[in-house]
Structure formats: C-alpha cells, structure tokens
Amino acid sequence: MSGAQEGDLVARVEGAAGIVRLNRPKAINAVTLEMFRDIDKALDRFEADPAIAVIVLEGAGERGLCAGGDIRALWESSKVDGDLGKILWREEYILNARIKKFPKPYVAFMDGIVMGGGVGLSAHASHRIVTDRTRLAMPEVGLGFFPDVGGTWLLSRAPGEIGTYFGLTGQTMNGPDAIHAKFADAVVPAAKWPDLRDALTKVRLGITAADVSKLINGFATGETVGPVAAREPAIDALFGFDRMEDIFAALKRDGSEFALTTLKTLNEKSPRGMVVTLKLLRLARTASSLEECLVREYRAALEVFRSDDFREGVRAAVIDKDRNPTWSPPRIEDVTPDMLAQYLAEIGADELKFN
C-alpha cells in the first residue's frame, strides 16, 4: 500500500467496509483542506452505497492517526491576511458535525498521536478505538488558539473538571484516560488491530451500532481508567472556577508538586488562549448540541486567525521551533472583557451553517 501511487487521502472499499485512510505519514497525517474535502466526498459515496455496512478511519504509518490540521498553511495565510482559516475551518467543522450524525457505524482507530483536527475526525465517531500507543491531546492553547473541532463540546462533557484540565494544559491522554474523559470507547492493543480490522471488513450488511460495539469489545482490554483519573479529586478542586485568575490562585495556594507542575505548564500558554478556552468550555456545558459549540468555535477561530498570538504561537512551536513565544497580552490579568467579547461576537453573513 505505497503512498507513491496514492494521494494524501485514500478512500477504498474493502469487503463491507468503507476505508478512509489519512495518508501523509511523514507529517503524521496532518490534514489539509483538500483532505477534508476528499473525506466528505468519500462519506457521500459510502453513505449512498448499500453494500457498505461500516466506515473505518485509520492513519498511514506507525506514528499516529493524525497530528492535527495543516498549521503551517494556516500560519502563512494568516500572515498575509488570507482566507484559508475562514474556508478550512468552515468545511472542517461542518464535516465534524456530519461524522457525529453519520447514519452508518463509523469506527475510528485512534492509534499513536491523535491531536487537534485528528480528534475532530475521530472523537465524534460512533465507535472510537484507542490503543496501548495512543497519545491524544488538544494542545491548541499553546498556539494562541483553543480546543476547536468540537473540542469544547467533548471537553465540557468529561467528568468533573477533567476536560477543563486537558483543555487548558494541553496535556496528553493515554488510551484509558481518553475513555475516562469520554473521548473514546474501548482500548484495543495495537497488535490486535489487524484482526479487528479484518473482522470489520467482513460484517454483515445492516449490522447495528450495538453489534459493532460487541465485535470491538471482543478485542478490547476493558481498561477505562488512566493515570489522570486518579487525580480527579485534586483536578476538580483546582479547576472548578470560571476565571483563569482563580485557577492560578488555587494552584499557587495548593502548592503540591502536581499543582506547581501544572502552574508551570499554564505559564507557558497564551493568556488570551486560556481565557477564551475557559469561557468557551463553560458556555459549552449548557449547549444542547455539538453544532451549537461549533458555531461558537467558528466565531472564535476567525478572531484567532486575525490575532498576533496565533501567528506567534505557531512561529515558536512549528516554524522557528524556539519554544519561546511572546504572548500579547503577556498576563491573564491583562486580557480584558472587551478582548474576550471579540471572540464571542456574532459574525453576520459569515456564521457557520449546517445543511
């Protein structure tokens, strides 16, 4: 299955399964606008084909399902006041919502690195498989951004303040952590994936979602609690606030090794990104649908695209790789209500709409 003859997105039928393979292994399958469009076309085809019972999403190579979106292209467009952000995020978010509502079982194999845009393609699936190698994260706050692709919907539905913790720190979940945080459904050892994948291509037509779950569970370890779950009481106490200043104060007051390590992590993040993230997470708690969160995320994303923080965050992490961003403003105390309001404001004709 050489990538030389195949494009960045491989969509093929294998038995009763419609396979969607992200095929940029050298970039850990980072997703481009064209790939989002090709996934949408593949789903059109697979949805209409009565001979396809199940969809399988996978990533090429050994490193992971997907490291996220094509951040470099977005950075370059942002620098010249381009419109890639407006176009890409619109199509990506509409695709995220489509995956959530897809009428056939949609199985996402979340092996290795799964971040950002990769979460959007997998964590809204009906069946979400993680492995002993899964490293899942929403690290956007470190780029002057926030957890998008429906990340605010997902994180706000994790138990207690686990989602607040993962969203603000960008810390990585292993497989059982991802299940505990409700980003995944079953841990299947990576070594067992070829056999499970083969079984999925041989399912009968009209198989129910419950039957697919039963099939997956036959390969699963049954693990549901990772290392972060053990810290849940502390996380709930430290992150149960609606203002970043209060979270920082609680961490300083606590003074434990975990609190101080977390404080150090947060001090590296974009103050504006953290304030926007926390607000979006709190608003998401009362949202009635993924779409409602995506509409809000789209408004905020367009504001991010115009911001120096996004360009600076990507420069420091991806372009120059000096890991030393200069955030604007530099402190959470300097993020004003007026600044925050710009991320939440309605955007008229540009509002995200779903079919």
Side-chain angles (χ1 to χ4, degrees), residues 81-100:
D81 199 23
D83 60 1
L84 180 62
K86 180 187 277 193
I87 296 165
L88 183 143
W89 286 319
R90 179 184 295 279
E91 296 188 30
E92 180 181 16
Y93 295 2
I94 289 169
L95 178 60
N96 299 149
R98 178 180 190 180
I99 289 166
K100 170 98 170 136

Side-chain angles (χ1 to χ4, degrees), residues 129-211:
I129 298 167
V130 282
T131 75
D132 46 316
R133 306 189 303 198
T134 295
R135 297 291 176 266
L136 187 152
M138 300 293 286
E140 291 79 3
V141 178
L143 299 174
F145 200 33
F146 61 89
D148 66 328
V149 299
T152 62
W153 167 262
L154 292 161
L155 290 163
S156 66
R157 272 144 192 80
E161 299 296 340
I162 291 276
T164 313
Y165 168 77
F166 279 124
L168 291 172
T169 63
Q171 291 291 83
T172 301
M173 309 177 200
N174 68 5
D177 275 335
I179 291 177
H180 183 70
K182 300 187 180 176
F183 274 68
D185 305 301
V187 179
V188 173
K192 289 190 176 181
W193 170 242
D195 290 340
L196 172 53
R197 187 186 186 280
D198 184 57
L200 287 165
T201 66
K202 293 173 177 167
V203 297
R204 60 181 170 76
L205 296 181
I207 191 169
T208 66
D211 288 335

Side-chain angles (χ1 to χ4, degrees), residues 233-235 237-238 247-260:
I235 288 171
L238 296 166
I247 291 174
F248 270 79
L251 289 164
K252 283 175 189 162
R253 237 183 357 255
D254 182 276
S256 65
E257 186 184 351
F258 172 71
L260 295 178

